[in-house]
Amino acid sequence: MKKGILSVVVLGSLLLCATSLFAGELERFSGLQGKIDIAGGTAHIPVMNDAARAIMTANPDIVITVAGGGSGVGVQKVGEGLVEIGNSGRSVSAAEMEKYPTLKSFAFAVDGVTPVINPSNTVSGLTAVQIQDIFAGKITNWSQVGGADAEIHIYNRDEASGTRSVFWKKCLNKIAIVETANVVPSNGAMKTAVANDPQAIGYTSIGHVDASVKAVVLDGVAPTQENAINGSYPVVRKLYMNTNGEPAPLVQAFIDYVMGADGATSIAQHGFIPIK
Amino acid sequence: MLNRNSGKRDFTAGGRLTSPAGRIHFPGELLLRSAALFSALIIFALFGFLAYFSLPLFIEGRLGELFSLHWRPFQGQFGILPMIVGTLLLALSALALAYPLGLGICLFIHGLGPALLARPLLLLVQGMTGIPTVVYGFVSVFLLVPLLRNLFAHGSGFSLLAALLTLALLILPTIVLLIHSQLGQVVPALRLTATALGIARERELLYISLPASSYGLLAAAILGFGRAVGDTLIALMVAGNAARIPDSAFDSIRTLTAHIALVVSTDSQSTTYQSLFAGGLILFLTTAAINLLLHRIKSRACPSGDGS
């Protein structure tokens, strides 16, 4: 019994500490209440979850739900008024803007996309032209780019992918990708496929790179956050939150929070670069 | 289908409630009828919805565009023919593998194998129905795909072969349980007579019971095929999803279901998106045709209208 009371007291004081620590950024939510539904781009989810958790802990009158679906779904849902914030890993297309002319975009982070290969592959750097030739099906063996004598297995993303869209525009220079390439449905599936196939080449968000895959040095530039910030690494995109019209006070407070100091910490933690 | 036999028993039990002379109504009957009507309406609404959205493609004469060989949405080519071919190849080959296996298991259970093993084998197959599709897919990605890649040293392992092996495992229980339930009705009725005539159990099974189970045999094939056509996850996870007609079983293929799953989150204003409705319509019509076919076979096999 005593122990129970003690732990409640300890927990309570810890919570108080936490609240006072974050009070600066979370103060803007005091007095606000309501619900924010978020859907869309899957790269955004970790950052959204962090923000939602912190805000809901600080102010229990606010309920925030976070769902995926992809960039297309995010834009469509916010346009139809089904969610308050629709995330996208690309800017709103002209066709979408025509259908939902009141959409407003808030870019909050920069994400780099890097070619990835299996860690056991002896190749470590490629030129953009070599990568284009690989994805076009002109280079089919790793020995042609300085690797072992083994067939190259290409892994591609689906057309709905924001990651594919930026890689295709900024690294592949909009070439036609060979039809025999395998297609995987997510950044996670890409990592699994490349991590398990010694002959693989694919591409993924820099935030997703870990020890299971090797990021390829592109034209001599390492795909790191630093190089993406200073502009020397070219294959980057912005992550957006979109609202339909001017955001309501609560939604505005959420956007300000994500783009503030706490948001920046969370964004950097998940491998993206915050936009001030 | 599998529920049909247990369902039949339920039906007789329910029949007692509605008889005698069908005057006393089961209190929930109205509820059940409206539920049935509601489900039927949903199906029709689904068909109408698919037809409505793919109509522009049909009336604007863009069918040729749809049934072409190349899926390059950024170049304005929306051919779903490779996906149709991929679906048929995968479903037929999975059926070709699973069907003889399933039939063999059923004959084993019904007398060709030792009686001691029949029950555990049946339980094993029944247990297989409870395994979620994603588990098969997941295990395949980590075990079967690397194995095929290393074994044949051709392609990435994500292939028609990997998908058909996994899918065969998935549809096997459907096939086994259907044939088994049919044999379960036919065999007891015939075995006594056959034994009295001095016909050996194996001969009775192969030459009398099996031919008498033609409805179940056909239904198992059709439903197994239907299940294979409709499955999305296995194809999506292990078939590789390259939108082209494969040259060999080691090549990557994309099925219609996987195609819809991959493309569905694109910009919904685009032709890319619209072409999905045509794909959905084709799948819908395929399964509808399968069900109609099954119904016809059933009514021919049992003209009394008793059902199975």
Side-chain angles (χ1 to χ4, degrees):
Chain A
M1 192 63 202
K2 235 179 190 172
K3 220 173 171 183
I5 293 172
L6 192 71
S7 58
V8 167
V9 170
V10 168
L11 214 89
S13 48
L14 269 176
L15 265 175
L16 268 175
C17 274
T19 324
S20 53
L21 252 173
F22 292 112
E25 279 293 320
L26 288 164
E27 225 163 48
R28 58 168 68 90
F29 291 100
S30 64
L32 288 174
Q33 56 174 315
K35 192 165 185 283
I36 310 177
D37 289 322
I38 304 172
T42 50
H44 308 56
I45 292 177
V47 176
M48 296 293 130
N49 277 341
D50 279 0
R53 204 173 304 127
I55 294 164
M56 288 193 288
T57 311
N59 185 346
D61 292 336
I62 299 173
V63 177
I64 304 173
T65 68
V66 181
S71 299
V73 171
V75 172
Q76 194 186 1
K77 276 196 166 175
V78 72
E80 297 289 347
L82 299 172
V83 295
E84 281 72 42
I85 298 177
N87 289 325
S88 62
R90 53 169 173 78
S91 52
V92 177
S93 76
E96 285 167 338
M97 215 57 210
E98 200 177 305
K99 180 130 192 234
Y100 312 115
T102 50
L103 284 186
K104 221 168 164 278
S105 295
F106 300 87
F108 67 97
V110 172
D111 179 23
V113 176
T114 172
V116 284
I117 55 178
N118 191 275
S120 70
N121 198 324
T122 52
V123 174
S124 56
L126 292 168
T127 65
V129 175
Q130 279 175 326
I131 292 175
Q132 286 159 21
D133 285 350
I134 289 173
F135 276 85
K138 288 182 208 154
I139 294 178
T140 55
N141 196 298
W142 282 109
S143 63
Q144 287 167 274
V145 290
D149 178 22
E151 191 182 312
I152 297 177
H153 300 155
I154 302 168
Y155 292 88
N156 194 12
R157 285 286 306 278
D158 51 283
E159 285 89 14
S161 159
T163 313
R164 172 189 170 125
S165 156
V166 62
F167 189 75
W168 185 62
K169 277 183 203 144
K170 298 192 176 170
C171 183
L172 295 182
N173 204 13
K174 301 192 180 185
I175 55 142
I177 297 172
V178 64
E179 279 182 341
T180 49
N182 287 323
V183 179
V184 291
S186 69
N187 273 316
M190 175 66 86
K191 216 162 73 175
T192 310
V194 174
N196 285 308
D197 184 349
Q199 289 149 264
I201 185 166
Y203 51 87
T204 188
S205 149
I206 290 179
H208 275 83
V209 174
D210 59 19
S212 69
V213 293
K214 181 156 80 174
V216 176
V217 175
L218 180 66
D219 286 328
V221 182
T224 59
Q225 279 194 54
E226 297 73 47
N227 287 338
I229 297 171
N230 65 31
S232 58
Y233 186 76
V235 191
V236 292
R237 62 165 166 172
K238 285 180 183 165
L239 299 182
Y240 298 88
M241 293 180 275
N242 304 294
T243 60
N244 201 348
E246 280 303 321
L250 177 61
V251 177
Q252 183 66 55
F254 180 87
I255 292 169
D256 291 343
Y257 178 78
V258 171
M259 296 171 82
D262 282 9
T265 314
S266 155
I267 289 166
Q269 218 169 47
H270 293 293
F272 308 120
I273 304 139
I275 298 177
K276 283 281 166 292
Chain B
M1 249 337 273
L2 150 70
N3 299 334
R4 179 171 316 227
N5 287 299
S6 53
K8 192 187 165 199
R9 225 168 294 138
D10 292 344
F11 179 72
T12 19
R16 205 173 342 109
L17 285 168
T18 44
S19 60
R23 259 176 294 130
I24 306 162
H25 286 289
F26 172 47
E29 195 182 305
L30 187 70
L31 199 71
L32 288 181
R33 276 199 186 168
S34 45
L37 187 73
F38 186 65
S39 332
L41 276 178
I42 287 182
I43 300 289
F44 279 109
L46 194 66
F47 177 73
F49 176 78
L50 284 172
Y52 176 78
F53 278 96
S54 47
L55 202 62
L57 287 172
F58 287 93
I59 48 177
E60 287 166 26
R62 306 208 321 241
L63 269 185
E65 207 173 289
L66 208 61
F67 291 102
S68 72
L69 282 173
H70 298 287
W71 172 260
R72 292 180 191 135
F74 295 118
Q75 281 107 307
Q77 289 176 297
F78 302 98
I80 57 171
L81 203 58
M83 285 63 123
I84 295 173
V85 173
T87 300
L88 288 177
L89 271 178
L90 179 60
L92 287 174
S93 58
L95 188 67
L97 179 64
Y99 195 82
L101 259 176
L103 188 61
I105 290 174
C106 285
L107 292 177
F108 187 94
I109 291 171
H110 282 276
L112 284 195
L116 201 66
L117 288 178
R119 185 97 195 122
L121 186 64
L122 187 64
L123 279 174
L124 180 75
V125 173
Q126 278 170 343
M128 280 170 71
T129 55
I131 300 176
T133 318
V134 67
V135 174
Y136 286 115
F138 191 70
V139 171
S140 278
V141 167
F142 284 95
L143 293 178
L144 184 65
V145 169
L147 183 77
L148 292 178
R149 175 165 57 227
N150 296 331
L151 212 58
F152 297 104
H154 180 80
S156 62
F158 290 96
S159 56
L160 172 59
L161 185 61
L164 90 86
L165 290 174
T166 318
L167 200 58
L169 208 58
L170 181 81
I171 64 173
L172 185 67
T174 309
I175 294 169
V176 169
L177 294 176
L178 265 169
I179 300 180
H180 166 68
S181 69
Q182 180 81 10
L183 281 176
Q185 288 179 7
V186 169
V187 169
L190 296 176
R191 182 154 289 172
L192 197 61
T193 321
T195 315
L197 289 171
I199 302 171
R201 173 176 278 208
E202 293 78 22
R203 296 203 146 239
E204 172 264 318
L205 202 54
L206 290 176
Y207 295 105
I208 302 171
S209 292
L210 209 54
S213 312
S214 56
Y215 162 67
L217 292 177
L218 208 60
I222 292 170
L223 274 175
F225 180 74
R227 181 102 207 264
V229 166
D231 183 75
T232 310
L233 211 55
I234 285 181
L236 187 65
M237 288 176 87
V238 303
N241 301 319
R244 71 186 278 277
I245 294 173
D247 300 326
S248 77
F250 303 111
D251 280 356
S252 167
I253 62 154
R254 186 186 291 194
T255 63
L256 264 180
T257 48
H259 179 63
I260 292 175
L262 277 172
V263 180
V264 77
S265 50
T266 42
D267 177 355
S268 62
Q269 313 314 315
S270 57
T271 322
T272 314
Y273 199 76
Q274 284 167 7
S275 77
L276 291 188
F277 288 101
L281 193 65
I282 291 169
L283 279 173
F284 185 91
L285 291 177
T286 312
T287 41
I290 287 172
N291 280 315
L292 279 179
L293 194 65
L294 207 62
H295 192 74
R296 279 201 64 161
I297 293 167
K298 199 169 92 182
S299 53
R300 198 176 301 165
C302 326
S304 59
D306 169 48
S308 53

